[in-house]
Amino acid sequence: MKEIRMPNEEYAYFYSGYENPVAEVDVKEEVAVYTLDAFNGLVKTPKDTVSTLACQLFNPLTGPIVIKGAEKGDTLKVTIKSIENTSGVAVGACMNTIGGINATTVTRMINDPITEKVWIYDYKDGEFTSRENPKLKFREQPFSGSLGTAPENEVISSTVPSTFGGNMDVKDMCPGNTLYFPVNVDGAYFYIGDAHGRQGDGELNGTGLEMAAKFILEFDLIKGKKIEWPRIENDEYIMTVGSARPLEDAARIAWCELVEWIVEEYGWDKLDAYELLSKCGEMYLGNMVDPNYSMVAMVKKEYL
Amino acid sequence: MKEIRMPNEEYAYFYSGYENPVAEVDVKEEVAVYTLDAFNGLVKTPKDTVSTLACQLFNPLTGPIVIKGAEKGDTLKVTIKSIENTSGVAVGACMNTIGGINATTVTRMINDPITEKVWIYDYKDGEFTSRENPKLKFREQPFSGSLGTAPENEVISSTVPSTFGGNMDVKDMCPGNTLYFPVNVDGAYFYIGDAHGRQGDGELNGTGLEMAAKFILEFDLIKGKKIEWPRIENDEYIMTVGSARPLEDAARIAWCELVEWIVEEYGWDKLDAYELLSKCGEMYLGNMVDPNYSMVAMVKKEYL
Amino acid sequence: MKEIRMPNEEYAYFYSGYENPVAEVDVKEEVAVYTLDAFNGLVKTPKDTVSTLACQLFNPLTGPIVIKGAEKGDTLKVTIKSIENTSGVAVGACMNTIGGINATTVTRMINDPITEKVWIYDYKDGEFTSRENPKLKFREQPFSGSLGTAPENEVISSTVPSTFGGNMDVKDMCPGNTLYFPVNVDGAYFYIGDAHGRQGDGELNGTGLEMAAKFILEFDLIKGKKIEWPRIENDEYIMTVGSARPLEDAARIAWCELVEWIVEEYGWDKLDAYELLSKCGEMYLGNMVDPNYSMVAMVKKEYL
Amino acid sequence: MKEIRMPNEEYAYFYSGYENPVAEVDVKEEVAVYTLDAFNGLVKTPKDTVSTLACQLFNPLTGPIVIKGAEKGDTLKVTIKSIENTSGVAVGACMNTIGGINATTVTRMINDPITEKVWIYDYKDGEFTSRENPKLKFREQPFSGSLGTAPENEVISSTVPSTFGGNMDVKDMCPGNTLYFPVNVDGAYFYIGDAHGRQGDGELNGTGLEMAAKFILEFDLIKGKKIEWPRIENDEYIMTVGSARPLEDAARIAWCELVEWIVEEYGWDKLDAYELLSKCGEMYLGNMVDPNYSMVAMVKKEYL
């Protein structure tokens, strides 16, 4: 199996169609992709609070990976076969710059900042246990917090979620689901990173169980089919992800994308689809900490 | 069993501590409470779009019900034993005044308004089926959209969710869960209505399966315990509901209330509780259509 | 001139169509209305921080004043002839419960709360000077923070701004302007209070120069003309006030109301009115601290 | 005077520290900078609605201009000496993708989209007059909608306002004011474009009077002084610009930046500064149409 690593440990911090590919892969070819944790592997003890770290960029990505045959206007299908913790540890933290229920650089307040804190977790037998407080103990439910394709023109930080995917921090970007992303440039230029051993809805303090990982991935293409925002599918559900602020705009995007999916592929009337979601749609919070917030809209296939 | 109905079918449309009680009940006494649907029973055919209805007030409530022994500063515990559809039908609708993905009276737009539409559902064997489009067919999962206690001073519309409960449109206000509300006036002055045969997260077009219902309820009190916002509990979860706009403020309220619950009753450190929720907290959308939006934060008890 | 005071100093704290009128006035009759400051006159020294006050209700109102001949569906025209400070002092404060740039009960944060503080101002020769810091010195520019008509059905706190006016905290609710409010109940049931000697845009810490006042008012009616939200007019401008959260919804309401005003009364095409406001509309922040935020949209009459 | 034009009319569409400079200028050297209108000069008749244009990128910029001696951590001072309309025309438009009071790609709605429309303005003697509706007639009040320095790491679209300036669409970015931007990369890499002959607060339909222009600019540096967000100063006011969504977060940033300016440079206590702004601060809407909304906070120097 092809192994994809960043040469000289020089990671990417942007979704960009202008960088040199680190690998080219065929559709339906399984590849192993190695990623670093969101803090560049620098948080090793509880003293390594985020503001003390000697780095300015976070969420290192592995990529761009060129998907052979991908052309602008196609849809990229990504299957995550597995996610494996590669370092035996994971990290959680609270910070002053981001966070769902603390003052941040965007939701600015004159209140005193909160105290920064770090938790180091040992990983063993599928379970993460905090060294500082063993009640913080979680079974793994891994996914990628930041993954997607290059935008058409811009060069966007790996911390931003948007139309092309990016830092959505959505737990359904996980093994077992089929993930869809728009192809905005020939080759797709796929990036992945920010593995989370597990995360609560919202990524409330700005961190999941941040870890280095090995992903087994497989790609496929839906030629000539254009989507506007990331989508997710499994046997039970179809799901859409919207990313914006305020949270209701993220929700509106996800719901409207889901209405369109139902109208276009299942042949429903638009208002009937609206009624359907009002009765059995589901929506959970992806993240409320990143530059855009993410909401996930979903509906069971049995209703369609 | 005591049966509580509104005399002369004159329903309440406000949460108020100033009205004459329709009943007084003891703690641990089971009572049957009869409620009307949110459209005052006036929507009977697809032609009865909401703007044509001869009424100005919606969400009729049954109440106030005085809970004997309740004093300001207590917590009211409500158990819904059962919810029964009493008319054999239910109603769904889309409107121009409210809705999660259409222009409304609050999110005002100069776009042309959407077309109003009504769906009438027959209820049989626990299932609702639309007469207009039989693909709109849903198994029941009933709850109360609007319930709670009188606020201390204000008189608040039955369409508004807030600290005292109200029109939260949260699906976990259902049989099987224990619901907690602050007691703001002596006697609690409990109201209930707006039964939904089922509802999707967000109550997207502004309606669940709106139906008349019979509730079997039981009340209890936690004397001298003051809570700020509604709470929900079952064997698996503790949950909090926050209601505000924008949606992130509703989320912040629910998360902060959950942090406080964990700190006060489970003895956790505040930042550790923040970390806990970042790793395993859950949050779903209650409603994004009412005067305040509602979000539900929850965590499994096994983590506490 | 008729003098209107609350009997026994028992003020109103709600906009309500259900209370007994304190006065009835004719159109075009000048009346003097006496009001208390927002803190019920209880803040007298810097030690009287808001959380220490022995009161639960704020923003006392004088009213309801019945306007003879007013019928539901009319528009009430209010002219403030003058506002006079009646106590020689005014008060400013910062609090933990509300505020534009501190964590509040709605924008909840786990940060430590800010320190409460009070400023007492002496009023002399049209100028307010803080006893604590004489650099805090302001020339008067008085207006009413909370005024309006009873809503049709609800009983709404004097701290809430909405369609009927209320606690908009908009500096253009001042002498020299003509103010318009919807008449929702026969008699209009007008209330006024919360005089501000001056206020910055947004009422940032939750207070203007809070003072007791004597208002000279004159009322008039536009029979059979229905407006949805408060409006303001003077020789130079027409203005609309929208109140909602988030702030962009308050803005959308104000802009859409202004578009409709231009279309209906000045005969413009809707899209041309949209273009007009894009080129010369003005918008300032009324308040960003109350239960709804308020934005003021305005356009110079010379463009119409 | 040095004239700065884009070679071969190949404009920049991103704020980037990675592009080759088009010019290097000394501090206190006056330069003339030529810019294209936001629609790349392609809108020439009312039929040229935005969705018909043969371009994907908008807001062409002239730059990067290297300021000699500028180092990361300095503050760049920009004076706009004059702005001259160079084509005799200007353009306004309403669109389906952006706009303050129509459904957009972010505030997604299922309502039908609005009708696109274009207005062409002739410019003569300092006045713009619409060919389609001569009541749309405006005296010029020119400024730059999009200007600023390269961000440190990212490459950001010219349509986005942020910490480095960018597409703020703030009318005070005009002749007569001193503008301050953070220097994030050595040389500052300044860009400018998107000249507006005039614009209403909010840039409501997404356009000002979009025009090609000649700017006379002068730069200066404040060595070793770091600012976080753009600032503006003139004889009467100090002002700060915050850009974010929702609008209240843009407001919070601007107010907090203004508090810090008053604390750091005028020696005020933080809570006294809070009180000061509550009494005499001013805030107007910059834009409510761009990827981030912008708010301007300001206070008269006489109070400081």
Side-chain angles (χ1 to χ4, degrees), chain A residues 175-206:
Chain A
N177 290 340
T178 304
L179 319 176
Y180 301 97
F181 299 93
V183 175
N184 305 301
V185 300
D186 289 352
Y189 282 62
F190 180 80
Y191 291 84
I192 190 166
D194 193 23
H196 289 171
R198 181 195 189 89
Q199 181 203 286
D201 294 346
E203 201 191 25
L204 195 60
N205 68 9

Side-chain angles (χ1 to χ4, degrees), chain A residues 247-303:
Chain A
L247 215 36
E248 50 261 45
D249 275 353
R252 286 172 182 134
I253 291 167
W255 287 124
C256 284
E257 285 291 313
L258 197 54
V259 166
E260 292 196 0
W261 192 345
I262 295 167
V263 167
E264 286 167 18
E265 298 194 20
Y266 293 87
W268 282 60
D269 167 77
K270 188 168 72 170
L271 290 183
D272 279 8
Y274 195 10
E275 172 71 359
L276 177 76
L277 296 178
S278 302
K279 301 302 167 279
C280 68
E282 300 174 41
M283 174 162 276
Y284 73 84
L285 176 64
N287 90 75
M288 58 179 282
V289 296
D290 297 320
N292 293 318
Y293 301 146
S294 298
M295 291 288 262
V296 182
M298 50 206 285
V299 66
K300 283 189 177 154
K301 289 177 169 178
E302 65 183 71
Y303 290 110

Side-chain angles (χ1 to χ4, degrees), chain C residues 102 121 133 200 205 272 274-275, chain D residues 102 121 133 272 274-275 278:
Chain C
N102 58 266
Y121 292 84
N133 178 353
N205 67 9
D272 279 9
Y274 196 11
E275 171 73 357
Chain D
N102 58 267
Y121 292 85
N133 177 354
D272 280 7
Y274 195 12
E275 171 72 358
S278 301

Side-chain angles (χ1 to χ4, degrees), chain B residues 64-83:
Chain B
I65 298 167
V66 160
I67 315 307
K68 288 182 197 165
E71 293 168 294
K72 183 182 157 182
D74 295 340
T75 288
L76 179 67
K77 212 164 146 176
V78 181
T79 314
I80 301 176
K81 303 282 178 149
S82 64
I83 304 176

Side-chain angles (χ1 to χ4, degrees), chain C residues 248-263:
Chain C
E248 49 262 46
D249 275 353
R252 286 171 183 135
I253 291 167
W255 287 124
C256 283
E257 284 291 313
L258 197 53
V259 166
E260 291 196 1
W261 192 345
I262 295 167
V263 167

Side-chain angles (χ1 to χ4, degrees), chain A residues 92-94 99-102 107 114-115 117 119 121 133 135-138 198-201 203-205 207-209 246-248 251-252 255-256 259 266 268-269 271-272 274-285 288 293 295 303-304, chain B residues 92-94 99-102 107 114-115 117 119 121 133 135-138 198-201 203-205 207-209 246-248 251-252 255-256 259 266 268-269 271-272 274-285 288 293 295 303-304:
Chain A
C94 57
I101 48 172
N102 59 266
T107 305
I114 62 164
T115 306
K117 192 165 175 180
W119 294 265
Y121 292 84
N133 178 355
K135 290 172 74 179
L136 292 165
K137 180 175 180 171
F138 309 101
R198 181 195 189 89
Q199 181 203 286
D201 294 346
E203 201 191 25
L204 195 60
N205 68 9
T207 59
L209 289 163
L247 215 36
E248 50 261 45
R252 286 172 182 134
W255 287 124
C256 284
V259 166
Y266 293 87
W268 282 60
D269 167 77
L271 290 183
D272 279 8
Y274 195 10
E275 172 71 359
L276 177 76
L277 296 178
S278 302
K279 301 302 167 279
C280 68
E282 300 174 41
M283 174 162 276
Y284 73 84
L285 176 64
M288 58 179 282
Y293 301 146
M295 291 288 262
Y303 290 110
L304 302 171
Chain B
C94 58
I101 50 173
N102 59 265
T107 305
I114 62 164
T115 304
K117 193 167 175 179
W119 295 264
Y121 293 84
N133 178 353
K135 290 172 75 178
L136 291 166
K137 180 176 179 170
F138 309 102
R198 181 194 190 90
Q199 181 203 285
D201 294 347
E203 202 192 25
L204 195 60
N205 67 9
T207 58
L209 289 164
L247 215 37
E248 49 261 46
R252 286 170 183 136
W255 288 124
C256 284
V259 166
Y266 294 88
W268 283 60
D269 167 78
L271 290 182
D272 279 8
Y274 195 12
E275 171 72 358
L276 177 76
L277 296 178
S278 302
K279 300 301 167 281
C280 69
E282 300 174 41
M283 175 163 275
Y284 73 85
L285 176 64
M288 58 179 283
Y293 300 147
M295 291 288 261
Y303 291 110
L304 302 173

Side-chain angles (χ1 to χ4, degrees), chain B residues 76-206:
Chain B
L76 179 67
K77 212 164 146 176
V78 181
T79 314
I80 301 176
K81 303 282 178 149
S82 64
I83 304 176
E84 192 183 316
N85 179 297
T86 54
S87 64
V89 295
V91 170
C94 58
M95 298 159 267
N96 289 313
T97 45
I98 65 167
I101 50 173
N102 59 265
T104 69
T105 51
V106 178
T107 305
R108 284 272 292 269
M109 297 283 172
I110 64 166
N111 296 65
D112 288 337
I114 62 164
T115 304
E116 285 195 314
K117 193 167 175 179
V118 164
W119 295 264
I120 309 290
Y121 293 84
D122 288 309
Y123 174 73
K124 199 180 158 192
D125 298 336
E127 209 155 55
F128 296 90
T129 310
S130 160
R131 295 178 192 166
E132 296 74 26
N133 178 353
K135 290 172 75 178
L136 291 166
K137 180 176 179 170
F138 309 102
R139 181 137 294 278
E140 72 182 334
Q141 190 183 330
F143 68 96
S144 163
S146 190
L147 77 169
T149 51
E152 184 169 6
N153 297 298
E154 285 187 282
V155 173
I156 304 286
S157 166
S158 58
T159 63
V160 174
S162 187
T163 52
F164 57 88
N167 195 30
M168 299 167 284
D169 289 312
V170 158
K171 67 186 172 194
D172 271 296
M173 294 287 169
C174 69
N177 289 341
T178 304
L179 318 177
Y180 301 98
F181 300 93
V183 175
N184 305 302
V185 300
D186 289 352
Y189 282 62
F190 180 80
Y191 290 84
I192 190 166
D194 194 23
H196 290 171
R198 181 194 190 90
Q199 181 203 285
D201 294 347
E203 202 192 25
L204 195 60
N205 67 9

Side-chain angles (χ1 to χ4, degrees), chain D residues 31-285:
Chain D
V31 295
V33 181
Y34 291 83
T35 64
L36 199 56
D37 76 64
F39 295 120
N40 298 303
L42 295 174
V43 177
K44 290 174 177 162
T45 80
K47 289 184 179 167
D48 299 327
T49 57
V50 178
S51 61
T52 70
L53 299 184
C55 64
Q56 292 189 313
L57 298 171
F58 297 92
N59 273 14
L61 299 174
T62 297
I65 298 167
V66 160
I67 315 306
K68 289 183 196 163
E71 292 168 296
K72 184 183 156 179
D74 295 341
T75 288
L76 179 66
K77 210 166 148 176
V78 180
T79 313
I80 301 177
K81 303 283 180 152
S82 64
I83 304 176
E84 192 183 316
N85 179 297
T86 55
S87 64
V89 295
V91 169
C94 57
M95 298 161 266
N96 289 312
T97 45
I98 66 167
I101 49 173
N102 58 267
T104 69
T105 52
V106 178
T107 305
R108 284 273 291 268
M109 297 284 172
I110 64 165
N111 295 66
D112 288 337
I114 62 164
T115 306
E116 286 195 314
K117 192 166 175 180
V118 163
W119 294 264
I120 309 290
Y121 292 85
D122 288 307
Y123 174 72
K124 198 179 160 193
D125 299 336
E127 209 155 57
F128 295 89
T129 310
S130 160
R131 294 179 193 166
E132 296 75 24
N133 177 354
K135 289 172 75 179
L136 291 165
K137 181 175 179 171
F138 308 102
R139 180 136 296 277
E140 72 183 335
Q141 190 183 327
F143 69 96
S144 164
S146 190
L147 76 169
T149 52
E152 184 168 7
N153 296 299
E154 285 187 281
V155 174
I156 304 285
S157 164
S158 58
T159 64
V160 174
S162 187
T163 51
F164 58 87
N167 195 30
M168 299 168 282
D169 289 311
V170 158
K171 67 185 173 194
D172 271 295
M173 293 286 169
C174 69
N177 289 341
T178 304
L179 319 177
Y180 301 97
F181 299 94
V183 175
N184 305 302
V185 300
D186 290 352
Y189 282 62
F190 179 81
Y191 290 84
I192 191 166
D194 193 24
H196 289 171
R198 181 195 189 89
Q199 181 203 285
D201 294 347
E203 201 191 26
L204 195 60
N205 68 8
T207 59
L209 289 163
E210 309 293 332
M211 68 180 199
K214 174 186 179 185
F215 289 87
I216 307 292
L217 301 177
E218 192 185 291
F219 301 94
D220 205 352
L221 292 167
I222 308 178
K223 296 296 296 177
K225 176 178 172 177
K226 192 167 158 35
I227 57 174
E228 301 294 329
W229 285 87
R231 297 181 173 184
I232 305 171
E233 188 171 12
N234 59 30
D235 289 347
E236 198 177 0
Y237 282 100
I238 62 171
M239 310 179 215
T240 52
V241 184
S243 297
R245 290 192 185 200
L247 214 37
E248 50 261 45
D249 275 354
R252 286 171 182 135
I253 291 167
W255 287 125
C256 284
E257 284 291 313
L258 197 54
V259 166
E260 291 196 1
W261 193 344
I262 294 167
V263 167
E264 286 168 16
E265 298 194 19
Y266 293 88
W268 282 61
D269 167 78
K270 187 168 72 169
L271 290 183
D272 280 7
Y274 195 12
E275 171 72 358
L276 177 76
L277 295 178
S278 301
K279 301 300 168 279
C280 68
E282 300 174 41
M283 175 163 276
Y284 74 85
L285 176 64

